[in-house]
mmCIF file of all heavy atoms in Angstrom:
data_model
loop_
_atom_site.group_PDB
_atom_site.id
_atom_site.type_symbol
_atom_site.label_atom_id
_atom_site.label_comp_id
_atom_site.label_asym_id
_atom_site.label_seq_id
_atom_site.Cartn_x
_atom_site.Cartn_y
_atom_site.Cartn_z
ATOM 1 N N LEU A 231 23.696 16.718 1.212
ATOM 2 C CA LEU A 231 24.501 15.778 1.996
ATOM 3 C C LEU A 231 25.773 15.406 1.251
ATOM 4 O O LEU A 231 26.802 15.056 1.871
ATOM 5 C CB LEU A 231 23.701 14.520 2.315
ATOM 6 C CG LEU A 231 22.608 14.621 3.380
ATOM 7 C CD1 LEU A 231 21.874 13.307 3.497
ATOM 8 C CD2 LEU A 231 23.201 15.031 4.735
ATOM 9 N N ARG A 232 25.742 15.496 -0.081
ATOM 10 C CA ARG A 232 26.917 15.123 -0.893
ATOM 11 C C ARG A 232 27.828 16.345 -1.126
ATOM 12 O O ARG A 232 29.003 16.177 -1.486
ATOM 13 C CB ARG A 232 26.474 14.554 -2.241
ATOM 14 C CG ARG A 232 25.660 13.274 -2.124
ATOM 15 C CD ARG A 232 25.431 12.645 -3.473
ATOM 16 N NE ARG A 232 24.557 13.431 -4.320
ATOM 17 C CZ ARG A 232 23.234 13.286 -4.393
ATOM 18 N NH1 ARG A 232 22.635 12.367 -3.623
ATOM 19 N NH2 ARG A 232 22.516 14.036 -5.201
ATOM 20 N N GLY A 233 27.291 17.556 -0.979
ATOM 21 C CA GLY A 233 28.105 18.749 -1.191
ATOM 22 C C GLY A 233 27.287 19.935 -1.613
ATOM 23 O O GLY A 233 26.043 19.839 -1.734
ATOM 24 N N PRO A 234 27.922 21.087 -1.866
ATOM 25 C CA PRO A 234 27.187 22.292 -2.239
ATOM 26 C C PRO A 234 26.428 22.115 -3.553
ATOM 27 O O PRO A 234 26.838 21.376 -4.440
ATOM 28 C CB PRO A 234 28.281 23.356 -2.402
ATOM 29 C CG PRO A 234 29.433 22.800 -1.623
ATOM 30 C CD PRO A 234 29.365 21.306 -1.755
ATOM 31 N N LEU A 235 25.290 22.797 -3.654
ATOM 32 C CA LEU A 235 24.483 22.749 -4.885
ATOM 33 C C LEU A 235 24.991 23.817 -5.868
ATOM 34 O O LEU A 235 25.413 24.901 -5.448
ATOM 35 C CB LEU A 235 23.022 23.018 -4.569
ATOM 36 C CG LEU A 235 22.284 21.957 -3.751
ATOM 37 C CD1 LEU A 235 20.870 22.430 -3.459
ATOM 38 C CD2 LEU A 235 22.231 20.645 -4.502
ATOM 39 N N PRO A 236 24.914 23.553 -7.141
ATOM 40 C CA PRO A 236 25.268 24.599 -8.122
ATOM 41 C C PRO A 236 24.264 25.733 -8.061
ATOM 42 O O PRO A 236 23.084 25.548 -7.689
ATOM 43 C CB PRO A 236 25.179 23.847 -9.472
ATOM 44 C CG PRO A 236 24.296 22.681 -9.214
ATOM 45 C CD PRO A 236 24.507 22.277 -7.803
ATOM 46 N N ALA A 237 24.685 26.908 -8.404
ATOM 47 C CA ALA A 237 23.796 28.065 -8.401
ATOM 48 C C ALA A 237 22.646 27.885 -9.391
ATOM 49 O O ALA A 237 22.823 27.305 -10.462
ATOM 50 C CB ALA A 237 24.580 29.319 -8.780
ATOM 51 N N ARG A 238 21.461 28.321 -8.998
ATOM 52 C CA ARG A 238 20.286 28.227 -9.871
ATOM 53 C C ARG A 238 19.297 29.318 -9.487
ATOM 54 O O ARG A 238 19.332 29.836 -8.376
ATOM 55 C CB ARG A 238 19.650 26.864 -9.786
ATOM 56 C CG ARG A 238 19.235 26.484 -8.394
ATOM 57 C CD ARG A 238 18.662 25.094 -8.327
ATOM 58 N NE ARG A 238 18.581 24.613 -6.949
ATOM 59 C CZ ARG A 238 17.604 23.846 -6.495
ATOM 60 N NH1 ARG A 238 16.628 23.483 -7.277
ATOM 61 N NH2 ARG A 238 17.609 23.441 -5.236
ATOM 62 N N ASP A 239 18.413 29.630 -10.414
ATOM 63 C CA ASP A 239 17.400 30.650 -10.157
ATOM 64 C C ASP A 239 16.180 29.983 -9.521
ATOM 65 O O ASP A 239 15.636 29.008 -10.074
ATOM 66 C CB ASP A 239 16.998 31.360 -11.451
ATOM 67 C CG ASP A 239 18.093 32.236 -11.994
ATOM 68 O OD1 ASP A 239 18.866 32.766 -11.169
ATOM 69 O OD2 ASP A 239 18.183 32.386 -13.219
ATOM 70 N N LEU A 240 15.762 30.481 -8.375
ATOM 71 C CA LEU A 240 14.554 30.007 -7.702
ATOM 72 C C LEU A 240 13.607 31.209 -7.521
ATOM 73 O O LEU A 240 14.037 32.272 -7.085
ATOM 74 C CB LEU A 240 14.860 29.389 -6.352
ATOM 75 C CG LEU A 240 15.586 28.045 -6.331
ATOM 76 C CD1 LEU A 240 15.946 27.674 -4.897
ATOM 77 C CD2 LEU A 240 14.682 26.961 -6.942
ATOM 78 N N LEU A 241 12.365 31.017 -7.855
ATOM 79 C CA LEU A 241 11.359 32.049 -7.615
ATOM 80 C C LEU A 241 10.905 31.949 -6.170
ATOM 81 O O LEU A 241 10.173 31.020 -5.809
ATOM 82 C CB LEU A 241 10.180 31.901 -8.570
ATOM 83 C CG LEU A 241 9.157 33.041 -8.557
ATOM 84 C CD1 LEU A 241 9.758 34.284 -9.197
ATOM 85 C CD2 LEU A 241 7.886 32.649 -9.247
ATOM 86 N N GLN A 242 11.369 32.860 -5.331
ATOM 87 C CA GLN A 242 11.002 32.835 -3.920
ATOM 88 C C GLN A 242 9.616 33.437 -3.732
ATOM 89 O O GLN A 242 9.093 34.145 -4.609
ATOM 90 C CB GLN A 242 12.045 33.637 -3.109
ATOM 91 C CG GLN A 242 13.476 33.154 -3.281
ATOM 92 C CD GLN A 242 13.775 31.832 -2.577
ATOM 93 O OE1 GLN A 242 12.901 31.193 -1.987
ATOM 94 N NE2 GLN A 242 15.057 31.410 -2.659
ATOM 95 N N PRO A 243 8.962 33.131 -2.589
ATOM 96 C CA PRO A 243 7.586 33.619 -2.389
ATOM 97 C C PRO A 243 7.426 35.135 -2.524
ATOM 98 O O PRO A 243 6.382 35.593 -3.006
ATOM 99 C CB PRO A 243 7.248 33.131 -0.971
ATOM 100 C CG PRO A 243 8.070 31.898 -0.816
ATOM 101 C CD PRO A 243 9.364 32.187 -1.524
ATOM 102 N N LEU A 244 8.405 35.928 -2.111
ATOM 103 C CA LEU A 244 8.278 37.386 -2.268
ATOM 104 C C LEU A 244 8.209 37.770 -3.750
ATOM 105 O O LEU A 244 7.413 38.646 -4.121
ATOM 106 C CB LEU A 244 9.453 38.104 -1.605
ATOM 107 C CG LEU A 244 9.439 38.152 -0.066
ATOM 108 C CD1 LEU A 244 10.736 38.766 0.460
ATOM 109 C CD2 LEU A 244 8.234 38.948 0.435
ATOM 110 N N GLU A 245 9.001 37.098 -4.606
ATOM 111 C CA GLU A 245 8.940 37.385 -6.035
ATOM 112 C C GLU A 245 7.628 36.883 -6.638
ATOM 113 O O GLU A 245 7.081 37.514 -7.556
ATOM 114 C CB GLU A 245 10.123 36.766 -6.764
ATOM 115 C CG GLU A 245 11.428 37.538 -6.631
ATOM 116 C CD GLU A 245 12.073 37.394 -5.257
ATOM 117 O OE1 GLU A 245 12.036 36.269 -4.694
ATOM 118 O OE2 GLU A 245 12.570 38.408 -4.742
ATOM 119 N N GLU A 246 7.177 35.729 -6.141
ATOM 120 C CA GLU A 246 5.908 35.212 -6.675
ATOM 121 C C GLU A 246 4.768 36.176 -6.366
ATOM 122 O O GLU A 246 3.910 36.449 -7.220
ATOM 123 C CB GLU A 246 5.602 33.832 -6.085
ATOM 124 C CG GLU A 246 4.358 33.206 -6.738
ATOM 125 C CD GLU A 246 3.852 32.009 -5.995
ATOM 126 O OE1 GLU A 246 4.438 31.610 -4.979
ATOM 127 O OE2 GLU A 246 2.809 31.459 -6.433
ATOM 128 N N ALA A 247 4.762 36.726 -5.134
ATOM 129 C CA ALA A 247 3.720 37.673 -4.773
ATOM 130 C C ALA A 247 3.810 38.927 -5.645
ATOM 131 O O ALA A 247 2.759 39.514 -6.026
ATOM 132 C CB ALA A 247 3.838 38.059 -3.299
ATOM 133 N N ALA A 248 5.034 39.328 -5.999
ATOM 134 C CA ALA A 248 5.173 40.500 -6.867
ATOM 135 C C ALA A 248 4.589 40.209 -8.263
ATOM 136 O O ALA A 248 3.943 41.065 -8.870
ATOM 137 C CB ALA A 248 6.656 40.873 -6.978
ATOM 138 N N PHE A 249 4.798 39.010 -8.768
ATOM 139 C CA PHE A 249 4.193 38.639 -10.060
ATOM 140 C C PHE A 249 2.665 38.678 -9.956
ATOM 141 O O PHE A 249 1.986 39.167 -10.857
ATOM 142 C CB PHE A 249 4.634 37.221 -10.482
ATOM 143 C CG PHE A 249 3.776 36.655 -11.561
ATOM 144 C CD1 PHE A 249 3.956 37.034 -12.885
ATOM 145 C CD2 PHE A 249 2.748 35.759 -11.264
ATOM 146 C CE1 PHE A 249 3.134 36.522 -13.880
ATOM 147 C CE2 PHE A 249 1.933 35.238 -12.262
ATOM 148 C CZ PHE A 249 2.121 35.641 -13.580
ATOM 149 N N GLN A 250 2.123 38.205 -8.863
ATOM 150 C CA GLN A 250 0.689 38.134 -8.723
ATOM 151 C C GLN A 250 0.027 39.507 -8.697
ATOM 152 O O GLN A 250 -1.154 39.644 -9.063
ATOM 153 C CB GLN A 250 0.338 37.337 -7.460
ATOM 154 C CG GLN A 250 0.687 35.853 -7.595
ATOM 155 C CD GLN A 250 0.634 35.122 -6.278
ATOM 156 O OE1 GLN A 250 0.492 35.713 -5.210
ATOM 157 N NE2 GLN A 250 0.767 33.792 -6.336
ATOM 158 N N THR A 251 0.741 40.529 -8.238
ATOM 159 C CA THR A 251 0.201 41.892 -8.243
ATOM 160 C C THR A 251 0.530 42.658 -9.505
ATOM 161 O O THR A 251 0.102 43.792 -9.656
ATOM 162 C CB THR A 251 0.704 42.663 -7.013
ATOM 163 O OG1 THR A 251 2.141 42.662 -7.038
ATOM 164 C CG2 THR A 251 0.239 42.005 -5.729
ATOM 165 N N SER A 252 1.274 42.029 -10.417
ATOM 166 C CA SER A 252 1.622 42.683 -11.669
ATOM 167 C C SER A 252 0.450 42.617 -12.662
ATOM 168 O O SER A 252 -0.529 41.876 -12.424
ATOM 169 C CB SER A 252 2.850 42.009 -12.309
ATOM 170 O OG SER A 252 2.519 40.712 -12.811
#
Side-chain angles (χ1 to χ4, degrees):
L231 286 177
R232 298 189 292 268
L235 292 176
R238 57 183 166 144
D239 290 330
L240 289 174
L241 188 72
Q242 304 287 3
L244 285 174
E245 281 75 39
E246 187 193 358
F249 165 79
Q250 292 168 351
T251 57
S252 70

